[in-house]
Amino acid sequence: MPSAPESGVNGLGPAGRAPRRRSDRARLAVLNAADDLLVERGYAGVTIEGIAARAGVAKQTIYRWWPSKFEILMDTLLEDAESALAVPDTGSFAGDLRQHLRQLADFLSAQPAGRVLLALIGQAQHDTGEARAFQQRFGDERRARDRVIFERALARGDIAPGADLDLLADLADGPLYHRVLLTGLPLDGVFIDGLVDRVLASVSRPARSSS
Amino acid sequence: MPSAPESGVNGLGPAGRAPRRRSDRARLAVLNAADDLLVERGYAGVTIEGIAARAGVAKQTIYRWWPSKFEILMDTLLEDAESALAVPDTGSFAGDLRQHLRQLADFLSAQPAGRVLLALIGQAQHDTGEARAFQQRFGDERRARDRVIFERALARGDIAPGADLDLLADLADGPLYHRVLLTGLPLDGVFIDGLVDRVLASVSRPARSSS
Amino acid sequence: MPSAPESGVNGLGPAGRAPRRRSDRARLAVLNAADDLLVERGYAGVTIEGIAARAGVAKQTIYRWWPSKFEILMDTLLEDAESALAVPDTGSFAGDLRQHLRQLADFLSAQPAGRVLLALIGQAQHDTGEARAFQQRFGDERRARDRVIFERALARGDIAPGADLDLLADLADGPLYHRVLLTGLPLDGVFIDGLVDRVLASVSRPARSSS
Amino acid sequence: MPSAPESGVNGLGPAGRAPRRRSDRARLAVLNAADDLLVERGYAGVTIEGIAARAGVAKQTIYRWWPSKFEILMDTLLEDAESALAVPDTGSFAGDLRQHLRQLADFLSAQPAGRVLLALIGQAQHDTGEARAFQQRFGDERRARDRVIFERALARGDIAPGADLDLLADLADGPLYHRVLLTGLPLDGVFIDGLVDRVLASVSRPARSSS
DNA sequence: GAATAACCGAGACGGTACGTCCAGTCTTGAA
DNA sequence: TTCAAGACTGGACGTACCGTCTCGGTTATTC
């Protein structure tokens, strides 16, 4: 998180220098401007110059704290996704799964931060470095959280033992992302319910050997 | 299809004069140059000027026949995907599904044209117009072909009647794209086999009401 | 003269390519804009961006044809100095000298192109490369022309034989430049006349050995 | 004289408080850094940031005491020129003149401070305010000193009465500056001797009316 | 000897201009 | 009419400095 505000204890001991004093005003203005521009004009319409102008900030200030517009948008994503994508806890696997997918569907199709997420996924396809950054800063944590749902189900016995939880996560989230990223089909309630049913069905008994 | 090679009857009756004599040399040189540049330098490294220079072609010639680099790459994709992604016909649903997924996994993770596909999917997230073009020129036809697998399975009784075939397609392809586009996990045989098993399991009996 | 309009016979033989076709509109607009900016805002106020904006020209066009604002101003100087600084021919050494110095004084103190010349002399003190360019493109030719006055005087016998003509040129022009560049004293008629007298006096008999 | 080193008694009467405690270390470090940078990289290579970095001084400290790099260099010039350009007193006009010109030639062509002087003369052509500052802080005093030579000569009768001493100063120094600033010709002994002879010749009898 | 205030280093900030790359349009001359 | 060539306007890039503005820390009087 390159732009974390002086994260952690830097205790700067006896001889420590005061760290660079970053302007929070500038930081927030940049994140908001980037977010706005993305929604209004799309990823290509997000330019450092445009952000600087809209945020009332000098370009140099942006370059001082972020290496690219990708990272700026990553910061906005992380701030926004936190709240919108909490791990559900309804008491049942079916309930957790359904709520998880509904949240995700809503996030991706209706919220500004969802637009940011899609743009970043898109950009990650163009640049391996950015793909890696996306993975580390967003993907890994997301995966860990989503995994909780399946681990709880496993503990409860809702999933047959020995299941590959990564695969189950792909099975649940994959179809949803597939629609948004590729086919453009709607993420409505019918789709979510059908998907939940299929995932539950696929999970209720051990995977057979497919030979 | 902006760059269709002399598409259809261009009418021009008895006195008409052939309006355009498109150089096939130039066309192929452009497509190859774009392809090469994408693989070597990534999407941002594909520029019209770069293509023109490498193809030994004037920029104007490119603009005459293609509206954007997106469409150039789309043309290369369509030429290459045709052969690599044929509809399988093994005689069984499980067989068809597995072969379909293996083909797709190989295409996405090992072939140059797969790189092009990923780049275009990525770019489609940035521009609705290009997303639409992607859908029309690549997505719809793909979906129609893939659907064949499920229609045959339905006819054979391998899938319980009344199933939503779009959903099943999402269920099969989604996890695979999810891995490539988002998590970066490998598309190995274990994954494919597990996925096939789960899809078969989810499909072998009617979807319950999910209440 | 980097921006000479396709100078000379380029006869491009049988296989010759047509040379780059330069826009004269852009060229003149740039030279005028640079000239105007210099007069209005001084040398530091002449910026490539400013010239481009005022000339209605793209920065790239400027960089295509000129390496620096110094060379742009050099071009304007050369175009303007030609007419204003013709070699006088009055029939007498005193007359030639006086007219030469009057022309020069007027040029330096009253004409826009004189401002350009002073700015370039100033800039040449900051950069040896530009000093060299100034010498080659302006100085050498100027010196050759001014020399004519002294050569004629020598031929006529107005100057004692054996005189160092370079020194005489320094003696005539130096005091004038000294005033403009260093002391700021006026270049009025009194000064010119006094200077002419002194030069004539210094020249009317052979330089003694100064031991 | 913006940066006079705690000039004179600053009075501060009975109740006055010493207003500023200027760090001499910083002052000298700045002057040296500026001087070095000028010699190494030329006038454009002298930047406030560069001086600050090299001098180990904060930019603010520089801006506290100097309004511009021009004034910094002016300070270095004044400190260095004092000793190098003393008024000669050889007993004869010819001797004084020759020694004066030799000193000046050496200063301009061989000493670091001469480089500074040339740069400041150059810069003065670009900015009238700086030209004025140059005049006041360097020019006027210089002129007053040089005048002494001619005043002594006048008193001694080496110069015909009624001569315009300003003109004579231009006549002596002008050719020398002309060579350095414009033509780049060498300031060698031959040149100096020839110049001295010409000036003496021009001065030994009253200037005629030049009609 | 403590208080205090100007000085100092460091460097973030809003800006301007730099010189470069590429976009997309236009014009020329050859095939 | 198409093509290679490349000049044109224009927008954004990432960098270098500008001059201003806090920050704490240091230091030299003054109480």
Side-chain angles (χ1 to χ4, degrees):
Chain A
M1 219 187 291
S3 61
E6 312 311 325
S7 62
V9 207
N10 72 359
L12 58 85
R17 282 254 135 262
R20 49 268 245 266
R21 284 152 285 106
R22 178 174 187 174
S23 157
D24 221 44
R25 181 194 76 69
R27 183 174 159 276
L28 291 174
V30 166
L31 295 186
N32 286 333
D35 212 345
D36 294 353
L37 283 172
L38 184 84
V39 171
E40 289 174 20
R41 312 195 201 169
Y43 193 80
V46 181
T47 65
I48 301 291
E49 297 219 323
I51 294 172
R54 179 183 281 239
V57 142
K59 278 167 68 180
Q60 184 57 53
T61 298
I62 300 181
Y63 284 109
R64 184 151 33 225
W65 301 110
W66 291 276
S68 65
K69 67 177 178 178
F70 184 86
E71 292 288 344
I72 299 174
L73 290 169
M74 196 64 111
D75 280 10
T76 77
L77 174 64
L78 291 181
E79 299 217 341
D80 294 352
E82 198 64 22
S83 51
L85 295 177
V87 179
D89 191 1
T90 62
S92 75
F93 179 42
D96 285 359
L97 192 58
R98 182 172 294 107
Q99 186 171 332
H100 164 70
L101 291 173
R102 280 182 176 161
Q103 271 182 348
L104 189 53
D106 176 68
F107 187 71
L108 287 172
S109 47
Q111 296 190 27
R115 299 281 291 275
V116 175
L117 174 53
L118 291 178
L120 292 179
I121 293 171
Q123 184 56 19
Q125 311 311 316
H126 293 161
D127 184 302
T128 46
E130 293 179 333
R132 194 160 36 246
F134 177 79
Q135 213 85 183
Q136 289 169 1
R137 299 191 58 205
F138 181 82
D140 291 350
E141 192 193 337
R142 272 296 101 209
R143 271 169 57 77
R145 295 193 181 218
D146 294 353
R147 208 183 164 90
V148 171
I149 297 174
F150 298 98
E151 283 167 347
R152 275 203 295 249
L154 197 64
R156 267 194 221 104
D158 292 334
I159 298 178
D164 177 348
L165 298 193
D166 280 334
L167 176 58
L168 292 186
D170 290 330
L171 204 67
D173 290 359
L176 205 152
Y177 280 108
H178 190 237
R179 291 218 156 180
V180 202
L181 297 171
L182 279 153
T183 66
L185 295 179
L187 305 183
D188 54 20
V190 174
F191 167 71
I192 299 286
D193 288 345
L195 176 56
V196 169
D197 288 348
R198 293 294 176 186
V199 171
L200 291 179
S202 82
V203 123
S204 59
R205 45 186 169 180
R208 304 160 305 174
S209 160
S210 66
S211 63
Chain B
M1 218 186 291
S3 59
E6 314 309 321
S7 63
V9 206
N10 70 2
L12 62 83
R17 51 180 59 250
R20 49 197 215 185
R21 298 167 278 110
R22 176 174 187 173
S23 156
D24 220 45
R25 182 196 76 70
R27 183 173 163 276
L28 290 174
V30 166
L31 296 186
N32 284 333
D35 212 345
D36 294 352
L37 283 173
L38 183 83
V39 170
E40 288 174 19
R41 310 194 204 171
Y43 192 80
V46 182
T47 65
I48 301 292
E49 298 217 324
I51 295 171
R54 178 182 281 239
V57 142
K59 279 166 66 180
Q60 185 56 52
T61 300
I62 299 181
Y63 283 110
R64 199 170 0 244
W65 301 110
W66 291 275
S68 66
K69 68 175 177 179
F70 185 86
E71 293 289 345
I72 299 173
L73 289 170
M74 195 67 107
D75 280 10
T76 78
L77 173 63
L78 292 181
E79 300 217 341
D80 295 351
E82 197 64 25
S83 52
L85 295 177
V87 180
D89 191 1
T90 62
S92 76
F93 179 43
D96 285 0
L97 192 59
R98 183 173 293 106
Q99 187 171 332
H100 163 71
L101 291 173
R102 280 182 177 161
Q103 271 183 348
L104 189 54
D106 177 67
F107 186 71
L108 287 173
S109 47
Q111 296 190 26
R115 299 281 291 274
V116 175
L117 174 54
L118 291 178
L120 293 179
I121 293 171
Q123 184 56 20
Q125 311 311 315
H126 293 161
D127 184 302
T128 47
E130 292 178 333
R132 194 159 36 245
F134 177 79
Q135 213 89 177
Q136 289 168 1
R137 300 192 59 205
F138 181 82
D140 291 350
E141 191 193 338
R142 270 300 99 206
R143 271 168 57 78
R145 297 194 182 217
D146 293 353
R147 205 180 164 93
V148 170
I149 297 173
F150 298 98
E151 283 167 347
R152 277 203 294 249
L154 198 63
R156 268 195 221 104
D158 292 333
I159 298 178
D164 177 348
L165 297 193
D166 279 335
L167 177 58
L168 291 186
D170 290 330
L171 204 67
D173 290 359
L176 206 151
Y177 280 109
H178 190 238
R179 290 217 156 181
V180 202
L181 296 172
L182 278 152
T183 68
L185 294 179
L187 305 184
D188 54 21
V190 175
F191 167 72
I192 299 284
D193 289 346
L195 177 55
V196 169
D197 288 351
R198 293 293 176 186
V199 172
L200 292 179
S202 82
V203 124
S204 60
R205 46 183 170 179
R208 305 160 303 174
S209 158
S210 67
S211 62
Chain C
M1 219 189 288
S3 58
E6 312 311 325
S7 62
V9 207
N10 72 358
L12 59 86
R17 284 251 135 262
R20 53 265 248 264
R21 286 152 282 105
R22 177 174 188 174
S23 157
D24 220 44
R25 180 195 76 70
R27 183 174 160 276
L28 290 174
V30 166
L31 295 186
N32 285 333
D35 212 345
D36 294 352
L37 284 173
L38 184 83
V39 170
E40 288 174 21
R41 310 195 203 171
Y43 193 80
V46 181
T47 66
I48 302 291
E49 298 219 322
I51 294 171
R54 178 181 282 238
V57 143
K59 278 166 67 179
Q60 184 59 56
T61 299
I62 299 181
Y63 284 109
R64 191 160 17 236
W65 301 109
W66 291 277
S68 65
K69 66 176 178 177
F70 185 86
E71 292 289 344
I72 298 174
L73 289 169
M74 196 66 109
D75 279 10
T76 77
L77 174 63
L78 292 181
E79 300 218 340
D80 295 352
E82 197 64 24
S83 51
L85 295 176
V87 179
D89 191 2
T90 62
S92 76
F93 178 43
D96 286 0
L97 191 59
R98 181 173 294 107
Q99 186 171 334
H100 163 70
L101 290 174
R102 281 183 177 159
Q103 270 184 347
L104 189 54
D106 177 68
F107 186 71
L108 287 174
S109 48
Q111 296 190 28
R115 299 281 291 274
V116 174
L117 173 54
L118 290 179
L120 293 180
I121 292 172
Q123 184 57 20
Q125 310 311 316
H126 293 160
D127 184 301
T128 45
E130 292 178 334
R132 195 159 33 245
F134 177 80
Q135 213 89 175
Q136 289 169 0
R137 299 191 59 205
F138 181 82
D140 290 352
E141 191 193 337
R142 268 303 96 207
R143 272 169 57 75
R145 295 194 181 219
D146 294 353
R147 207 183 165 90
V148 171
I149 296 172
F150 299 97
E151 284 166 347
R152 276 203 294 249
L154 196 63
R156 265 194 223 106
D158 291 333
I159 298 178
D164 177 348
L165 297 193
D166 281 333
L167 176 59
L168 290 187
D170 292 329
L171 203 66
D173 290 358
L176 206 152
Y177 280 109
H178 189 239
R179 290 216 157 182
V180 202
L181 296 172
L182 279 152
T183 67
L185 294 179
L187 304 183
D188 53 21
V190 174
F191 168 72
I192 300 284
D193 288 345
L195 176 55
V196 170
D197 288 349
R198 293 293 175 187
V199 172
L200 292 179
S202 82
V203 124
S204 58
R205 46 184 169 180
R208 304 161 303 173
S209 159
S210 66
S211 60
Chain D
M1 220 187 289
S3 59
E6 310 310 321
S7 62
V9 206
N10 70 1
L12 59 83
R17 53 180 59 249
R20 48 197 215 188
R21 296 168 279 108
R22 177 174 187 175
S23 156
D24 222 45
R25 181 195 77 70
R27 182 173 162 277
L28 290 173
V30 166
L31 296 186
N32 285 333
D35 212 345
D36 293 353
L37 284 172
L38 184 83
V39 171
E40 288 173 21
R41 311 194 203 170
Y43 192 80
V46 181
T47 65
I48 301 291
E49 298 217 323
I51 294 172
R54 178 182 281 239
V57 142
K59 278 166 67 180
Q60 185 57 53
T61 299
I62 298 180
Y63 283 110
R64 189 154 24 229
W65 302 110
W66 292 275
S68 66
K69 69 175 177 178
F70 185 86
E71 292 289 346
I72 299 174
L73 288 170
M74 195 65 108
D75 279 11
T76 78
L77 174 63
L78 292 181
E79 299 217 341
D80 295 353
E82 197 65 23
S83 52
L85 295 176
V87 180
D89 190 3
T90 62
S92 75
F93 179 42
D96 285 359
L97 192 58
R98 181 171 295 107
Q99 186 172 334
H100 163 71
L101 291 174
R102 279 182 177 159
Q103 271 183 346
L104 189 53
D106 176 68
F107 186 71
L108 286 173
S109 48
Q111 297 190 27
R115 301 280 289 275
V116 174
L117 174 54
L118 291 178
L120 292 179
I121 293 171
Q123 184 56 21
Q125 310 311 316
H126 294 161
D127 184 301
T128 48
E130 293 178 333
R132 196 161 31 245
F134 177 80
Q135 212 86 184
Q136 289 168 1
R137 298 192 58 205
F138 182 83
D140 290 350
E141 190 193 338
R142 271 298 100 207
R143 270 168 57 77
R145 295 192 182 219
D146 293 354
R147 207 182 164 92
V148 170
I149 297 173
F150 297 97
E151 283 166 347
R152 277 203 294 248
L154 198 64
R156 265 194 225 105
D158 291 332
I159 298 178
D164 177 348
L165 298 193
D166 280 333
L167 175 60
L168 291 187
D170 290 330
L171 204 66
D173 291 357
L176 204 152
Y177 280 108
H178 190 238
R179 290 218 154 180
V180 202
L181 297 171
L182 279 153
T183 67
L185 294 179
L187 305 183
D188 53 20
V190 175
F191 168 71
I192 300 285
D193 289 344
L195 177 55
V196 169
D197 288 348
R198 292 294 176 187
V199 172
L200 291 179
S202 81
V203 123
S204 60
R205 46 186 168 180
R208 303 160 305 175
S209 160
S210 65
S211 61

